[in-house]
Amino acid sequence: MAMTTTSTVDTTFVVNASGQAAGGIWPHFKLLVDGRDIGQATVNSTSTGSYSFKTQVAPGAAHTIQIVYDNDWLSTDKAGMYRDLTIKSLQVNGKTVTPTSSLVTYDKGAIDGQDVIPGQEAMWWDGALKFALTKDYFPGTATSTPAPTTPAPTPTTGTGSDTITVSAKGNGGAHFNVLVDGKKIGEGTTTSTTKDFTFKTNAADLQAHKVQIQYDNDGVVNGVDRNLNVSKIVINGKSVLPTDGIVTYDKGALDGRDVVKGQADLWWNGTLVVNADKSFFPAGSGTTPTPTPTPTPTPVPTPSKPIADGYLHTEGSQIVDSSGQNVKLTGVNWFGAEGFAFAPQGLWMDSYQNHMDKMQELGFNTIRLPFSDAMLDSGRMPTGIDYSKNPDLRGLTSLQVFDKIIEYADKTGMKIILDHHRSGDGASANENGLWYTDQYPESKMIANWKMLAARYADNPSVIAADLHNEPHGAATWGSGNQATDWAAAAERIGNAIQSVNPNWLLIVEGVEIHNGNWYWWGGNLLGANNRPIDFNVDNKLVYSVHDYGPSLHMMDWFKDANFPNNMPAKWDQMWGNLVKNDVAPVLVGEFGSKMQTDIDKKWMPELIQYMNGDWNTDGKIDIGANEEGVSWTYWAWSPGSGDTGGIMKDDWTVDYTKLNAIKSGMFDGDIA
């Protein structure tokens, strides 16, 4: 007897979309094919861009495609500033479907089939555009194969079942989803009385998993603010309180950006994340994991001549240590303290010492440590720290936590770059694109920088000040307008720092737009060619850019038919010429990728080669034998970045796919 089986074929889905940011965060969406999550993207432009996803689907059959918008938001400090997503079209196998097609509906809020309206371009609310595509969009036919004549192989999965119970109540019909490692296993709608909601799933035994309770319908109903209260989570009989150290609250989109310590009351849309270790999933409770191949850890370079103790200075395009050796800063961004938690991410998982030791073990020599002016407010206390793992941080302010990290860096040889990431607490750069806000004017920013410069003046592990993160939008370079001229402001800030501490390198990022030329936020240094930065103390200037790949936004140069061979010329134009012409060193302060798409996998090695000093990426290093290439700090260490993930995976093991992609660019200390 023959049976019909359906083969699958590679299929590319292209979402053409634009967005409107609010709160400094752009709209985010996931693409689902027949309910299966095949990828996600952040739409970070008001102009329409293309976002490609590739997966396998059965030909000659109908399929359902859903574009799920999940971080709708209204700014509370800027009236009328909504975060919106606009979908222009979906392309499948050369065919284009618009959101207004009769095949498309819009399920607002929870994906529950309740608030369904005809499809439209503008997604003003969280929800899903559902494309019910007929088999005509997926050419091909099913194939017939003989039925197996031998017994089916024994399954590798176990027969056990995990039980997860959420005890919760709410007002106004608060709704939540339960996910395990991002995969939905059920949902519930609460009443005003605490109720146990029980869910079954099969998760791999003897492995750590994330159990996520996602509140998704925050709102005001008849004047009453709808809230969700979670009193307890029980995983296979082990009880967890939402305030326990293994629990965090990711407000808004599940993107790792707005993470605070876990709490029982969910006043905003967001996700309680229980970082459950393997003891919650004993043998027989779920599935027996099938071993999957993992990238082989590639040995990282061991410095043959480490960066000498003491301060750094510059000579032309080179950064030089106290022994006269040209050096290269190759590090990671350890973010979190600039945002709502006011502490670097991951201190709920391990001690700060173990994190820093691991960074060095993997070959990094520098930490770019973001902070905000809000973090420096008097008495500011951190959250998201497991004090059983970090007992010496108990009772310390956020600034005192920095003291401990910097003190440990001095013991181990790690170098610290302090990064003024934003003014108020939050994620990403300042929403206004400038280096100050009404709440934290330039005078306050300068006062904070001078305080830090004096506080760490006697600790040479702190080598540099990144004066401000990602000037963009209204920020100009050399315009003469004191309110927007970032170049002039950088000199004011840098000279103020040098008045109390002349030893630091001063890092000046670019802008976004100069003379009509657009680039990444903080990545455009065209203005430095005619209007260079000049500090009172010479040989301390390092320019800096942020340079990201196609998965963050499909810039025009990524669409070039000659990609990635066109990239060296683009980098030459925007910042590389400053190094090639021996004007000043450049630090690529942020770059990174999840390394999941083919186009990112072409972009990353091109950038690494270029930063190594192979200016035309032909495999031959073009800089002198005693010179070092471009310094960099990878975004990011912890896995909480929705755009790139981290060197550490969600289970806090090393992502060797990413590490292996950048290891050839690490400083090895060799000089001729």
Side-chain angles (χ1 to χ4, degrees), residues 188-390:
T189 300
T190 60
T191 65
S192 59
T193 303
T194 299
K195 175 185 174 183
D196 287 345
F197 298 81
T198 300
F199 308 90
K200 293 285 189 179
T201 189
N202 275 328
D205 291 350
L206 300 175
Q207 289 190 11
H209 296 283
K210 290 181 181 294
V211 176
Q212 298 146 322
I213 296 92
Q214 192 169 64
Y215 175 37
D216 62 5
N217 69 335
D218 179 38
V220 178
V221 182
N222 297 325
V224 177
D225 189 7
R226 181 189 292 132
N227 296 312
L228 175 69
N229 175 276
V230 177
S231 58
K232 182 172 60 175
I233 307 103
V234 181
I235 306 169
N236 290 323
K238 293 188 69 172
S239 182
V240 181
L241 298 178
T243 53
D244 285 350
I246 63 171
V247 184
T248 56
Y249 182 17
D250 192 345
K251 298 192 289 184
L254 181 56
D255 55 11
R257 292 185 171 185
D258 307 325
V259 178
V260 298
K261 183 177 174 61
Q263 58 191 62
D265 292 304
L266 277 66
W267 299 312
W268 314 273
N269 276 345
T271 306
L272 274 183
V273 180
V274 182
N275 296 284
D277 63 32
K278 64 183 180 182
S279 68
F280 285 82
F281 301 90
S285 68
T287 63
T288 303
T290 302
T292 55
T294 57
T296 302
T298 302
V300 295
T302 300
S304 58
K305 188 177 181 184
I307 300 173
D309 192 22
Y311 295 103
L312 307 175
H313 67 278
T314 68
E315 295 178 10
S317 64
Q318 297 296 298
I319 297 175
V320 185
D321 71 11
S322 58
S323 73
Q325 173 191 205
N326 293 335
V327 299
K328 185 177 177 181
L329 306 177
T330 51
V332 286
N333 286 269
W334 195 10
F335 69 91
E338 77 285 3
F340 304 106
F342 298 115
Q345 284 199 347
L347 298 184
W348 61 84
M349 289 295 296
D350 208 342
S351 69
Y352 67 92
Q353 297 99 327
N354 286 345
H355 278 292
M356 296 170 70
D357 288 346
K358 190 68 175 179
M359 293 173 192
Q360 282 191 290
E361 176 189 326
L362 296 178
F364 299 108
N365 60 27
T366 303
I367 302 171
R368 181 173 179 255
L369 197 57
F371 70 92
S372 62
D373 289 309
M375 191 205 88
L376 300 177
D377 285 347
S378 178
R380 178 71 69 190
M381 300 300 294
T383 60
I385 298 176
D386 185 337
Y387 291 109
S388 68
K389 297 180 174 68
N390 294 274

Side-chain angles (χ1 to χ4, degrees), residues 651-672:
D651 62 358
W652 293 88
T653 60
V654 178
D655 188 334
Y656 282 101
T657 297
K658 292 176 184 172
L659 185 67
N660 291 344
I662 64 175
K663 64 176 174 40
S664 64
M666 289 182 173
F667 176 61
D668 63 8
D670 289 332
I671 58 173

Side-chain angles (χ1 to χ4, degrees), residues 418-450:
L418 294 176
D419 157 42
H420 182 268
H421 211 70
R422 52 182 293 115
S423 301
D425 59 327
S428 189
N430 276 354
E431 289 78 5
N432 64 8
L434 303 172
W435 56 97
Y436 62 90
T437 63
D438 291 342
Q439 183 179 5
Y440 297 99
E442 181 183 303
S443 58
K444 180 63 174 176
M445 176 196 188
I446 287 177
N448 280 336
W449 264 128
K450 290 176 70 174

